[in-house]
Amino acid sequence: MSRLLRLHDAPPVPARELAATSADGARIHVEVHGPDSAPAVVLAHGWTCSTHFWAAQIRDLAVDHRVIAYDQRGHGRSPAAGRDGYSTNALADDLEAVLDATLQPGEKAVLAGHSMGGMTMMAAARRSGLRDHAAAVLLCSTGSSRLIAESLVVPMRAGATRTRMTRAILGARAPLGPVTPVSRRFLKYGTMGAGSAPERVDTCARIVHACPTGARVAWGHVLAELDLDAGVRELRVPTAVIAGTEDRLTPLVHARAIAAALPDCLGLTELAGMGHMTPVEAPEAVTGRIRELVTAYLPAGGACDAAGADRVDGVDSAAAVESAAAVDSADGTAEKEGVA
């Protein structure tokens, strides 16, 4: 574990660990938590993060789910790739490798991706690995294109100057260094809501600062040129979207566009006052949405036959998700369902 990550930031000790081998030979670190016989959930983290980002979800879900979390290449315990090893195709290859290494042939799981993890789902939309294994997908705080043009991190009017400055931030080679009060304030401004709890800001800062500079820069260049709009239209599994209303990195315009373009959208959940780091800022809301998808789309054990794919215990699964309980307003969230 990185010296930048404190013990309470980390998820529980996994039941087992393995290395999945991607199409180009890259080794992807994978952790499996929870009972082997339980419904499966696969978690893909975002840019500059690691499996530690999902600690709250893993603690909650692993009680009665098999939770599979992996480090994107160059992050966490997954080694860096060569110069040509960073691309949206690599994201899709790595996800397919993880699914192949952890799920039985035809076994279904709920897939959840945050930020670049959500982009991973879009990149893999046409892949047989995703189509064979995804019962449903949750896209958290993500976008499919125009990331630097739409970003609100640089506080100035949209235009060429703001776009150039945002591109420079994504590709900045300066090491982040140790977490300090100043760096925490910068991270909170850029990635989290104004009301985010100090301990959650600290958790995110330690995770982000632990990301190697080379991987951060390489993936930053990929994000600057991102165009996965076609992948959104090809993501033909039931898909829910969740986003914070104060997200500056991937503002709400992205979530709304994705929800409108998805072939089978289960609704957009807008989390009032939350920023980009929704799984850490609003863990109950994100975990609750994952549980709803599992209940609706995964029969016990994850065996999804032709009937079970559409109906669970005799209840239409889409209707079950639409009617799922809204997130408790005491958590500071607001839910907006039914965006087509």
Side-chain angles (χ1 to χ4, degrees), residues 4-339:
L4 293 172
L5 289 172
R6 298 178 304 187
L7 182 62
H8 73 265
D9 293 329
V13 175
R16 59 190 174 97
E17 299 177 319
L18 62 142
T21 303
S22 195
D24 63 353
R27 304 287 282 177
I28 307 301
H29 173 73
V30 185
E31 300 174 0
V32 182
H33 302 257
D36 283 341
S37 60
V41 173
V42 179
L43 303 176
H45 68 76
W47 181 50
T48 72
C49 295
S50 68
T51 57
H52 298 286
F53 188 77
W54 295 106
Q57 285 70 42
I58 293 171
R59 288 191 193 99
D60 186 303
L61 293 170
V63 173
D64 51 359
H65 296 72
R66 177 160 41 103
V67 183
I68 299 158
Y70 69 99
D71 286 323
Q72 302 273 17
R73 61 174 62 196
H75 294 75
R77 293 170 65 185
S78 291
R83 176 176 294 182
D84 298 326
Y86 298 93
S87 66
T88 55
N89 280 332
L91 291 175
D93 288 341
D94 296 351
L95 175 62
E96 282 199 300
V98 170
L99 297 177
D100 183 63
T102 57
L103 301 176
Q104 296 298 317
E107 183 183 4
K108 298 291 186 179
V110 168
L111 277 51
H114 169 259
S115 191
M116 194 172 78
M119 297 163 197
T120 300
M121 311 303 170
M122 303 174 211
R126 298 186 183 93
R127 301 291 188 93
S128 60
L130 183 139
R131 293 185 175 184
D132 290 347
H133 290 296
V137 168
L138 177 62
L139 302 177
C140 300
S141 307
T142 191
S144 59
S145 65
R146 293 179 53 80
L147 297 188
I148 59 174
E150 300 286 358
S151 171
L152 302 176
V153 171
V154 177
M156 62 187 299
R157 182 177 300 179
T161 300
R162 189 180 78 176
T163 297
R164 283 196 301 271
M165 293 177 68
T166 304
R167 185 186 297 275
I169 291 171
L170 285 180
R173 294 185 175 277
L176 296 181
V179 177
T180 67
V182 172
S183 67
R184 276 194 291 266
R185 285 198 293 272
F186 275 112
L187 180 127
K188 181 179 180 180
Y189 166 79
T191 68
M192 305 181 78
S196 293
E199 64 272 17
R200 293 178 178 177
V201 176
D202 189 63
T203 293
C204 285
R206 292 177 182 278
I207 291 170
V208 170
H209 279 243
C211 180
T213 300
R216 189 187 81 234
V217 172
W219 282 119
H221 289 312
V222 173
L223 298 181
E225 305 300 331
L226 191 75
D227 186 356
L228 291 173
D229 291 345
V232 177
R233 296 189 293 270
E234 290 294 325
L235 193 54
R236 299 185 181 279
V237 297
T239 302
V241 185
I242 195 166
T245 61
E246 294 187 16
D247 189 340
R248 289 187 173 94
L249 278 178
T250 53
L252 206 52
V253 63
H254 291 291
R256 291 172 176 169
I258 288 170
L262 284 166
D264 189 0
C265 183
L266 301 175
L268 167 61
T269 304
E270 297 183 6
L271 301 178
M274 298 297 109
H276 183 69
M277 302 299 212
T278 46
V280 173
E281 291 180 88
E284 297 86 358
V286 173
T287 304
R289 200 67 170 119
I290 293 171
R291 282 188 172 275
E292 291 169 8
L293 294 175
V294 171
T295 299
Y297 290 95
L298 279 186
C304 217
D305 59 18
D310 295 322
R311 298 183 68 80
V312 180
D313 293 332
V315 179
D316 182 84
S317 55
V321 172
E322 291 289 344
S323 62
V327 178
D328 190 341
S329 59
D331 294 330
T333 64
E335 181 164 279
K336 177 183 177 182
E337 295 289 347
V339 177

